[in-house]
Amino acid sequence: STQLVVSTALARAGPIGGLTAFFLWNLPGLIVLTVCGVLIATFVDENNPPWYLIGLPPAAISLVFKAFYGFGKKLDKLGIILCLISSLVAIMINGSRPKIDPLWSQYIYPSMLACGGIVSYLDSIRGTDVKIFGKIRRVPGKPYGTYKSASKGWDAESDLTMRRIGIPIWVGALIWIVWAVVLAVTVSVVGRMRRNGEVPNQYLEIFEVMYRIGSLIFGGGQVVLPMLQTEVVPMWMKKDAFLQGLGLAQSMPGPLFNFSSYLGAVYKGVPGALVAYIGLFGPGVMLIFGMVPFWARLRHVKWFKSTLNGVNATAIGLVGAACVILWEGAVTTFADAMVFTLALCLAVVYGIGAPWVVLTGGVFGAILHKDALGLGQNEWCSLGQDL
């Protein structure tokens, strides 16, 4: 959503318009989630969540399931295969300790996205004539996926759009270089300090975690959730606080990346919220501004568009993995399962907006809480043991 808002404003009003749209789009969620993070860190007992927060995690997870369903039903046959493979790999990474460290996901996820793009491109050229080693050869078979034809080439409208954007190609390339240098420096500095037994500055640590995750993941807020959970739980906060914040973030206007401000606020107050916010959003905004001058040309290239099909399908698979990974922490009692079921039905079947889904889940969870009706309080995973 943020990329769409910024890129649209860039195309209409140039860099100033893009930055203005970004700031206004994120400001409400940033303020509210920062305040909520500070209040929860200050007044909420992390070992005993209050009744008014107990229903937020399962309601929030239902919205991740809804997002996966919405994305998944648009996939073609090849997209479904790529989606399934990436989901299985991501779930395996997060459930194979100690053989596989979940932190490896920061390398494996981007690699899977790249592989998905390559597979999609190779599939798109099946049944077409391509130049191989100087000779025109026909690639056998028919594409398994569905691909759009290349759009019209560069024209007067494209030229006008580029003038409105006002970012030449060399500036776009420079922005990409700055992004890469900041990523390399922060990761290397923090990594070297840890290898030497030193404790990194906590604000530098927050920025490094958020900037690294924001740089390596493609596909939206739901994709980063398992990586964020791996990085911050239990080092910065307990899982309950993480999932409560996710529920609050899902109910706020603006992008899910605003969740970063909540995480930073719980860990290190308002300064931590601002550092986390800049860290997670920074790479995406930089890459948007750096990519726009190239995008005006690449969007007319058939191989680039077919590659994006595979990247998108693989990213959707990571959203599916997030459903499985986060479910464990969000649904721990039968009451949680009831809240999840209600919230998912409201979101998918009746199309109720996210804020009302989270609010309804919170109210329903409070009614079922042990200090109210006390219903559904048995542990969800104890069912098999009782049988």
Side-chain angles (χ1 to χ4, degrees):
S1 57
T2 302
Q3 287 87 342
L4 178 62
V5 169
V6 174
S7 58
T8 301
L10 261 173
R12 302 299 298 177
I16 295 178
L19 289 173
T20 302
F22 169 77
F23 180 73
L24 296 177
W25 172 244
N26 293 300
L27 184 60
L30 167 66
I31 294 173
V32 173
L33 288 171
T34 298
V35 172
C36 289
V38 172
L39 292 176
I40 286 177
T42 305
F43 298 107
V44 173
D45 181 3
E46 61 182 11
N47 296 312
N48 185 26
W51 58 269
Y52 52 85
L53 293 177
I54 205 72
L56 298 188
I61 298 305
S62 74
L63 295 174
V64 181
F65 274 77
K66 178 194 175 184
F68 178 56
Y69 170 74
F71 295 146
K73 67 181 182 180
K74 300 176 183 177
L75 295 175
D76 56 28
K77 292 182 179 179
L78 179 63
I80 292 174
I81 294 173
L82 294 174
C83 173
L84 176 62
I85 292 173
S86 66
S87 284
L88 294 177
V89 172
I91 294 169
M92 177 189 68
I93 293 171
N94 282 271
S96 299
R97 285 189 181 98
K99 290 186 177 181
I100 301 178
D101 189 335
L103 291 176
W104 289 6
S105 61
Q106 62 187 305
Y107 309 111
I108 297 176
Y109 285 6
S111 300
M112 287 197 298
L113 294 172
C115 290
I118 293 172
V119 169
S120 182
Y121 166 70
L122 294 176
D123 179 67
S124 71
I125 63 175
R126 297 174 69 191
T128 63
D129 295 327
V130 296
K131 191 173 184 180
I132 303 176
F133 300 119
K135 295 182 178 182
I136 301 297
R137 302 179 185 273
R138 189 164 189 83
V139 181
K142 294 192 303 182
Y144 204 58
T146 303
Y147 304 95
K148 296 181 179 179
S149 59
S151 57
K152 61 182 180 179
W154 191 268
D155 55 14
E157 182 182 351
S158 300
D159 195 57
L160 178 61
T161 300
M162 282 299 298
R163 287 201 299 269
R164 276 202 305 261
I165 292 173
I167 302 178
I169 288 181
W170 71 268
V171 174
L174 180 62
I175 293 173
W176 277 74
I177 293 172
V178 172
W179 160 76
V181 169
V182 173
L183 176 63
V185 169
T186 53
V187 171
S188 61
V189 168
V190 172
R192 183 177 61 185
M193 294 179 70
R194 287 172 176 165
R195 287 192 298 271
N196 294 337
E198 303 175 33
V199 179
N201 177 276
Q202 290 177 320
Y203 297 109
L204 175 61
E205 177 190 18
I206 293 173
F207 181 82
E208 186 271 335
V209 167
M210 295 297 174
Y211 193 88
R212 170 165 42 85
I213 293 176
S215 296
L216 299 178
I217 286 299
F218 171 90
Q222 291 86 1
V223 177
V224 307
L225 293 176
M227 289 185 67
L228 284 174
Q229 179 175 280
T230 300
E231 292 281 357
V232 308
V233 177
M235 289 74 72
W236 299 6
M237 66 196 67
K238 290 197 172 182
K239 186 178 289 187
D240 283 343
F242 178 90
L243 294 171
Q244 290 158 9
L246 177 59
L248 293 169
Q250 293 273 30
S251 68
M252 289 293 108
L256 186 55
F257 270 27
N258 274 332
F259 184 36
S260 61
S261 60
Y262 168 87
L263 298 176
V266 172
Y267 185 42
K268 282 295 168 184
V270 175
L274 296 177
V275 172
Y277 173 83
I278 294 171
L280 194 59
F281 273 106
V285 173
M286 292 174 68
L287 294 179
I288 291 172
F289 278 79
M291 185 64 184
V292 163
F294 297 97
W295 177 258
R297 292 166 172 80
L298 289 174
R299 68 190 181 95
H300 302 298
V301 181
K302 185 177 180 180
W303 69 261
F304 181 75
K305 296 177 70 173
S306 62
T307 299
L308 285 182
N309 280 17
V311 175
N312 286 331
T314 306
I316 292 170
L318 298 180
V319 177
C323 295
V324 177
I325 295 166
L326 297 174
W327 163 273
E328 175 193 6
V331 179
T332 59
T333 66
F334 281 80
D336 292 335
M338 294 165 65
V339 172
F340 171 84
T341 304
L342 173 64
L344 186 63
C345 181
L346 292 175
V348 175
V349 178
Y350 295 100
I352 304 300
W356 299 108
V357 170
V358 173
L359 178 62
T360 303
V363 172
F364 190 42
I367 293 173
L368 298 175
H369 190 262
K370 61 183 180 180
D371 294 333
L373 295 182
L375 299 175
Q377 298 304 306
N378 292 347
E379 291 186 8
W380 177 254
C381 293
S382 67
L383 179 60
Q385 300 173 1
D386 294 340
L387 295 176

